[in-house]
Amino acid sequence: MCRYAGRLWATRERPFSRAVQDAGAHRTVDAGDLVGLCQVIAAQEGIAEQACRILRRAR
């Protein structure tokens, strides 16, 4: 986590797969406070989880 220009930033250590990124998940996110940052991180992980479920069904 990093604070820059009044914002908190977080970058996921392990990148998402290309398919998950194409589904809209972002590795680096920002927010104005810690609660907001946690919410944005959770949203990105949710996007990734949903994309993985869809990809598994398509196989």
Side-chain angles (χ1 to χ4, degrees), residues 37-54:
L37 187 61
C38 290
Q39 291 170 338
V40 174
I41 291 168
Q44 297 308 304
E45 294 296 328
I47 291 168
E49 185 177 321
Q50 183 177 12
C52 287
R53 271 188 259 138
I54 291 168

Side-chain angles (χ1 to χ4, degrees), residues 3-23:
R3 182 176 280 279
Y4 180 74
R7 305 285 292 169
L8 293 172
W9 293 78
T11 299
R12 194 173 196 269
E13 285 186 20
R14 193 166 133 207
F16 290 120
S17 69
R18 172 49 77 193
V20 171
Q21 289 179 51
D22 290 347

